Amino acid sequence: MLNIGIIGAARVASYAMIAPAAANPRTRVVAIAARDPARARAYAAEHGIARVHADYAALVADPAIDLVYVATPPAFHLAHARLAIAAGKPVLVEKPFAMHAGEAETLLDEAEAAGVAIFEAMHARHHPVWPLLADLIPRIGRLHHVDAVFDVAVSTDAAEFRWEDRLGGGALMDLGVYPLAWARGVAGEPLAVNAATMVRQRNADAAFSARLQFADDVTASVSADMRAPVQARLTLVGRDGSLIIDNPMSVRAHDRVRLTDRAGNHEFVAAGSGTFDRQLAALVATLVDGVAFPLAPRDPMGSMRAIDMVRSAAAD
């Protein structure tokens, strides 16, 4: 049994950790701590969490906890993940992993030095579409271009941290981290950002778009918008055909992978359990069974470097 402690009484924790843990017979959420103890107690009562710790230091010191999940805004990920590392506890850090690549490097280096496992909660990369794509991509020939988009209309409530740059909000950090991960998943790490634009609203970027350059002359168009209706799509264009992946964010029965190759048009379904369930199952397999995690140990560094490159290009 993998016992989990949560740092931050956040909305994301309810569907990204509490629900998957309840559905997995090998996991359970046993404790929580939040900046506001009263909020932590209310959250624990709502979600059936047995223990509420007075602060984050007490939570990571709890000997019953086997994995710490950091669900606070990105501006606090460095400090809160370091608490877990110092306590010798494996830690899952909600995306985006940090505020920039420098913080990501600090966390990865300190975790490695301490012999502690650390992961980014990049649930979309656990989608069952990825093993399917491994079989289908060769059918479209040499990859030329990737188009990745993820739009979600984010609440404009005054308390919504995603409209605050200083807390790690904005379309690039909150939404763009996903299409960048999809592009990296098929094309490798970007070599350059050829162009990037941002639309500012309130205290953050409400939308961004960027054109990236990868090895072997592969290009990618990546975008996200916090004002638009939900849209998640990944398109791959190759020498001999194309692939369109409907909704690489979550697993739904009606979503399709559409392949056009020299033999014609084809449709496939990437069936399986949900991405958060699969992410947690992968963590259990790694931490309990010794199975290699599906993503590379330093993948969070690539994630943050890509964000930094787009941010820098948009500022030029």
Side-chain angles (χ1 to χ4, degrees), residues 29 69 84 86-87 114 127 162 188 191 197 208 220 228 230 236 240 248 254 295 309:
V29 174
Y69 170 51
H127 196 297
R162 288 179 289 179
L191 302 177
T197 60
F208 87 95
V230 175
L236 311 179
D240 302 321
H254 60 276
L295 300 179
M309 290 169 68

Side-chain angles (χ1 to χ4, degrees), residues 272-293:
S273 55
T275 55
F276 294 111
D277 297 300
R278 294 170 69 89
Q279 175 175 262
L280 185 56
L283 286 166
V284 173
T286 297
L287 297 174
V288 178
D289 304 326
V291 176
F293 195 67

Side-chain angles (χ1 to χ4, degrees), residues 181-202:
W182 304 335
R184 293 172 49 241
V186 296
E189 299 302 330
L191 302 177
V193 176
N194 296 330
T197 60
M198 285 183 174
V199 177
R200 301 285 301 181
Q201 185 172 319
R202 289 174 57 175

Side-chain angles (χ1 to χ4, degrees), residues 3 18 22 48 55 58 63 68 77 80 104 120 122 155-157 169 215 224 227 238 273 288 300 303:
N3 292 329
I18 294 172
D55 54 39
V68 175
H77 287 180
H80 296 160
E120 181 178 29
M122 186 60 68
S155 168
T156 56
D157 185 274
R227 308 159 304 172
S273 55
V288 178
S303 179

Side-chain angles (χ1 to χ4, degrees), residues 33-284:
R35 180 175 53 84
D36 179 354
R39 182 179 179 187
R41 289 191 294 272
Y43 194 91
E46 178 184 358
H47 296 287
I49 300 172
R51 291 196 298 283
V52 177
H53 285 289
D55 54 39
Y56 301 144
L59 183 136
V60 300
D62 186 339
I65 291 175
D66 305 307
L67 171 68
V68 175
Y69 170 51
V70 175
T72 50
F76 307 109
H77 287 180
L78 176 66
H80 296 160
R82 291 178 95 177
L83 287 174
I85 293 168
K89 298 291 176 69
V91 55
L92 173 68
V93 183
E94 189 49 63
K95 64 80 194 168
F97 189 70
M99 291 293 279
H100 51 75
E103 288 189 354
E105 185 173 29
T106 295
L107 287 177
L108 292 169
D109 287 350
E110 290 187 0
E112 183 178 359
V116 172
I118 187 168
F119 312 89
E120 181 178 29
M122 186 60 68
H123 73 95
R125 283 299 315 275
H126 297 271
H127 196 297
V129 75
W130 290 97
L132 177 60
L133 287 181
D135 294 332
L136 296 180
I137 287 176
R139 295 174 60 171
I140 67 171
R142 183 174 176 274
L143 185 64
H144 289 319
H145 184 69
V146 178
D147 188 84
V149 57
F150 182 42
D151 299 335
V152 175
V154 173
S155 168
T156 56
D157 185 274
E160 178 54 72
F161 84 84
R162 288 179 289 179
W163 291 102
E164 292 288 342
D165 277 342
R166 62 185 179 82
L167 295 177
L172 175 60
M173 288 278 278
D174 189 68
L175 304 182
V177 64
Y178 290 120
L180 284 170
W182 304 335
R184 293 172 49 241
V186 296
E189 299 302 330
L191 302 177
V193 176
N194 296 330
T197 60
M198 285 183 174
V199 177
R200 301 285 301 181
Q201 185 172 319
R202 289 174 57 175
N203 297 313
D205 55 298
F208 87 95
S209 62
R211 189 170 180 88
L212 285 71
Q213 185 70 50
F214 293 82
D216 300 321
D217 294 324
V218 177
T219 57
S221 298
V222 178
S223 65
D225 194 329
M226 298 202 304
R227 308 159 304 172
V230 175
Q231 177 185 198
R233 180 167 293 187
L234 174 63
T235 303
L236 311 179
V237 179
R239 179 190 59 199
D240 302 321
S242 64
L243 280 161
I244 299 175
I245 299 94
D246 292 332
N247 189 28
M249 273 298 294
S250 57
V251 183
R252 302 183 304 192
H254 60 276
D255 291 326
R256 295 291 183 270
V257 175
R258 289 169 281 166
L259 166 69
T260 299
D261 63 8
R262 291 177 175 177
N265 299 319
H266 321 269
E267 282 196 352
F268 304 86
V269 177
S273 55
T275 55
F276 294 111
D277 297 300
R278 294 170 69 89
Q279 175 175 262
L280 185 56
L283 286 166
V284 173

